[in-house]
Amino acid sequence: MDMQQNGMMDAARTILAQNDRGGYTVPTARLYPFQWNWDSAFVAMGFATYDIDRAYRELERLAEGQWDDGMIPHIVFHAPSDTYFPGPEVWGTRHRIPTSGITQPPVFGMALRHVHEAAVATGRTDAADRTLKLFRSALLSHRWWMSARDPESRGLVSILHPWESGSDNSPAWDEALARVPTSTETVIRRKDTGHVDASMRPRDEDYQRFIHLVDVYRGCGWDPMRQWEAAPFKIADVQMTGILARATADLLVLARSIGKAEDQRELEQMHQLLTDGLARQWRADLSRFVSMDLISGQDITAPTQACFIPLVAIALSDNQRDAVRAELRRWLDGMAVGVPSTAPFSPAFEPKRYWRGPVWAVVNWLIADGLRLNRCEDLARDIENGTVKAIEKAGFCEYFDPTTGEGLGGGTFSWTAAAYMVLSRRD
Ligand code: DGY
C-alpha cells in the first residue's frame, strides 16, 4: 500500500469513527442520522478489516430493530433526530425501538459470513457464539422474506416500496410508481433537500408517491399479508432476489460449520427456489436480467444496475457470461468512472440524480464480486480499481457522476469508506 492509500485508509477509519453513534454507524451526519439496514451491513464488512468486535456490534445493533415476524427494518431510530423526514411518527410502527415499517436489501447474511471468517482468521474465541446469535436473526429474516415477499413461491422476492430496493428513484420504478397516487394523509416536510442540492435528489412528486405508499401500509397495521393484498406497487426485483440468494448461500456456509442439519436443508431449498427464479429472469435479447412488475405483469426493461446484481448469486453459462461482459463494457464506454446506475444510452439517464445515473461504490462492490464468481476477473478488477481511484480523487462521497467523476450527494459517507477499505486491499 502506498502513502496515498495509507492516508486514505486513515481517513476512511476517521469517517467511521465520526459516524459512530454508539455501536452503530449512521450513513452520514444530518442527511441520514439513524441506522440504515444495508448501509450497516457494508459498514460491518469495512470494520472487519481492522476491528472485529465493532464489526459484530454493527450487526448486533441492527438486529435490535428486528421485528417478531423476522423483518429487519430499513431504518432503526435508536436516538431521535430532527434532520430527517420521515421520522418514527410517520411510520407509526410498534417495535420496542422505533423503526421504519419496510425493509432493505438483505446484505446482512453476506456481511455475517464475512465478519465470521475475519473473526476466525484472527483467532477470536467468541466468534462462534456471536455469529450463532446473528445467524438465527438472519435465518428468521430470510424466512420472513420468503413468506411475506414471495407468498406465491415464484422464487423472486418483491419490494412494496421503492425505498426497499435501496435505489429509490431508479428509472426501473418509473412506470409502476406513476400508478401510485400523489395524495397523502401525511404532511410532507422534506429535510434531504436542505442538506444536498435538490437536483441530486428525488423530485417532490416522487416523495408524494413514496409517502402515499407509507400511508397505505401503515393503514394495514404493517401486517405483511394485508400489505401484499393492498400494495399499489409490487415488483419482483432481481437485485433484491440476487442479494437474498447470495446471502442464503453465505448462511448455508455458516450453517455447515455452526448450524443444525435442518437449517442446512431449509437454506438449500430456499437457495434452489431463488436461483431458479432468477434464472428465469434472464433475457438473452437484452443481455440482462429483468425484474417483473407484478401489477401489470410486465417485464421491467429499464437498463439499471439491478440487471447485473444476480451475478452475485448464480453461475452464468458461457454465452450469458460473454453477453454480460459485452453489455457492461458498453455501459462503461466513454465514462470517467463506472458502473453507472442507469445505462448512459437510456433516455432516463441523469448523471447527477441519485439512482438515475450516478455510480455507487457498494454497487460496484457487488457487481465486481459477481463478475469474479463468474470468472470475469479482468472486468472485476477494472471496476474495483475505477472505484478506488474515483474515491481517491473525489473523496468519500455518497455517489459519483459517471461522466466526470465528480463526487455528489452527502459527503463523508460510511459505506463509501467501507467500500474503500475492502476494495483497495484487492489491488
Ligand atoms: C432516503 O430517505 O433517501 C432513503 O433512501 C430512504 O431510505
Side-chain angles (χ1 to χ4, degrees):
M1 199 174 293
D2 61 25
M3 266 184 38
Q4 183 190 18
Q5 281 189 332
N6 275 329
M8 287 294 289
M9 206 59 100
D10 287 347
R13 290 182 185 188
T14 303
I15 287 172
L16 293 196
Q18 283 170 348
N19 289 342
D20 188 324
R21 296 291 180 273
Y24 72 93
T25 310
V26 299
T28 192
R30 300 184 63 73
L31 181 60
Y32 299 117
F34 309 106
Q35 186 173 25
W36 257 260
N37 182 331
W38 74 325
D39 292 72
S40 271
F42 285 109
V43 163
M45 293 190 266
F47 274 127
T49 62
Y50 66 103
D51 185 346
I52 302 286
D53 180 60
R54 187 58 186 76
Y56 274 120
R57 248 354 251 140
E58 190 74 31
L59 297 177
E60 287 160 357
R61 297 243 44 199
L62 184 60
E64 288 172 18
Q66 183 166 32
W67 288 14
D68 289 345
D69 68 3
M71 183 183 78
I72 303 184
H74 99 297
I75 305 176
V76 185
F77 299 108
H78 290 286
S81 163
D82 60 5
T83 67
Y84 179 81
F85 173 87
E89 62 296 340
V90 175
W91 293 98
T93 60
R94 287 182 305 268
H95 191 65
R96 183 176 51 85
I97 303 171
T99 71
S100 70
I102 58 173
T103 189
Q104 251 187 344
V107 182
F108 189 95
M110 297 170 61
L112 182 57
R113 176 180 171 193
H114 192 105
V115 172
H116 177 76
E117 288 177 354
V120 169
T122 53
R124 281 189 75 104
T125 49
D126 60 349
D129 279 356
R130 285 181 96 170
T131 301
L132 189 57
K133 277 205 191 82
L134 292 167
F135 171 84
R136 302 252 64 101
S137 290
L139 183 56
L140 207 65
S141 83
H142 283 221
R143 284 184 192 141
W144 175 85
W145 272 107
M146 302 311 285
S147 63
R149 295 313 175 82
D150 187 20
E152 290 146 22
S153 294
R154 268 189 192 85
L156 296 170
V157 288
S158 289
I159 55 167
L160 304 186
H161 195 299
W163 282 341
E164 295 199 305
S165 69
S167 0
D168 309 358
N169 63 338
S170 170
W173 321 136
D174 284 358
E175 252 180 71
L177 198 59
R179 281 186 232 118
V180 174
T182 52
S183 54
T184 64
E185 291 161 18
T186 304
V187 181
I188 299 179
R189 294 204 174 86
R190 288 184 70 170
K191 302 279 175 80
D192 56 322
T193 43
H195 307 307
V196 301
D197 196 274
S199 64
M200 300 179 205
R201 295 286 306 171
R203 300 161 307 164
D204 280 344
E205 195 187 310
D206 300 325
Y207 260 76
Q208 288 161 357
R209 300 184 205 276
F210 294 160
I211 297 303
H212 179 96
L213 291 171
V214 173
D215 290 344
V216 170
Y217 303 140
R218 191 184 54 236
C220 296
W222 299 109
D223 175 77
M225 282 310 118
R226 286 179 63 197
Q227 290 178 73
W228 184 263
E229 296 305 325
F233 179 95
K234 196 188 294 184
I235 289 172
D237 176 21
V238 290
Q239 172 162 297
M240 196 66 102
T241 307
I243 292 172
L244 183 67
R246 166 56 182 273
T248 304
D250 287 340
L251 291 183
L252 191 51
V253 171
L254 290 175
R256 289 190 181 120
S257 62
I258 58 166
K260 304 187 205 121
E262 66 250 36
D263 298 336
Q264 287 179 41
R265 274 195 300 278
E266 182 180 357
L267 288 163
E268 270 159 12
Q269 279 168 8
M270 222 181 253
H271 186 252
Q272 191 64 50
L273 187 67
L274 294 169
T275 48
D276 287 350
L278 279 174
R280 285 193 289 272
Q281 295 311 108
W282 170 255
R283 297 293 174 267
D285 53 332
L286 297 173
S287 303
R288 304 192 287 269
F289 291 88
V290 300
S291 296
M292 200 202 311
D293 184 332
L294 292 188
I295 292 184
S296 69
Q298 303 292 311
D299 278 357
I300 295 177
T301 54
T304 72
Q305 86 293 333
C307 309
F308 301 112
I309 302 297
L311 271 69
V312 298
I314 61 178
L316 301 178
S317 69
D318 288 350
N319 284 346
Q320 287 175 326
R321 192 166 59 103
D322 292 347
V324 163
R325 200 205 293 266
E327 180 66 7
L328 261 171
R329 290 274 181 216
R330 183 158 84 107
W331 290 41
L332 297 175
D333 190 36
M335 295 294 106
V337 53
V339 179
S341 48
T342 299
F345 51 79
S346 160
F349 178 66
E350 292 182 74
K352 293 193 190 322
R353 196 184 289 278
Y354 210 40
W355 288 91
R356 302 185 74 85
V359 174
W360 294 75
V362 294
V363 165
N364 284 0
W365 178 350
L366 292 173
I367 293 177
D369 269 5
L371 287 167
R372 261 180 220 287
L373 276 176
N374 280 287
R375 298 160 290 126
C376 297
E377 192 62 38
D378 51 339
L379 193 47
R381 195 164 315 117
D382 285 355
I383 290 171
E384 286 164 357
N385 289 344
T387 313
V388 167
K389 290 213 173 62
I391 298 172
E392 284 170 353
K393 219 163 139 203
F396 297 94
C397 303
E398 187 176 6
Y399 41 87
F400 303 86
D401 180 335
T403 62
T404 61
E406 184 193 351
L408 303 168
T412 57
F413 227 78
S414 299
W415 73 6
T416 309
Y420 188 84
M421 290 169 181
V422 172
L423 299 185
S424 63
R425 287 154 63 108
R426 293 187 180 164
D427 274 0

